Amino acid sequence: MGKWFGSSGIRGAYENISPDFAMSLGRAVQKAKSENEWDTAYIASDIRLTSDILKSAFMSGFNSAGGEVIDIGKTTTPVIAFLSQIESTL
């Protein structure tokens, strides 16, 4: 897993992280999360042109596996980290 995941999200060239990869990843993440009784995830993207299609594919995979995704749009990594901290305390 370390190949794709960094401290600031998923990393790699678009040729390697395709929409199919993002959809499969969304399904896998939801399955792992549902085992821990989490059914909601936050997602955001940066300003790269490929971000929206990859985000949509991930959300489709996550939703198809029974989860809900809250899309907070384009934002910085610290915002997502902050939301994750708040969510974990609720």
Side-chain angles (χ1 to χ4, degrees), residues 56-71:
S56 292
F58 179 91
M59 291 171 65
S60 292
F62 195 89
N63 291 338
S64 74
E68 178 186 0
V69 180
I70 298 170
D71 182 1

Side-chain angles (χ1 to χ4, degrees), residues 2 7 13 18 21 23 30 41 49 66 81 84 90:
S7 60
S18 66
F21 174 87
M23 185 175 282
Q30 168 50 23
L49 296 176
S84 298
L90 298 178

Side-chain angles (χ1 to χ4, degrees), residues 9-27:
I10 300 167
R11 296 286 179 246
Y14 185 75
E15 294 79 29
N16 298 323
I17 302 177
S18 66
D20 287 337
F21 174 87
M23 185 175 282
S24 295
L25 181 63
R27 281 192 296 266

Side-chain angles (χ1 to χ4, degrees), residues 30-51:
Q30 168 50 23
K31 288 178 184 175
K33 287 175 69 69
S34 65
E35 291 174 7
N36 294 307
E37 300 179 9
W38 304 330
D39 289 324
T40 304
Y42 292 98
I43 192 167
S45 60
D46 59 24
I47 61 171
R48 284 177 272 197
L49 296 176
T50 56
S51 292

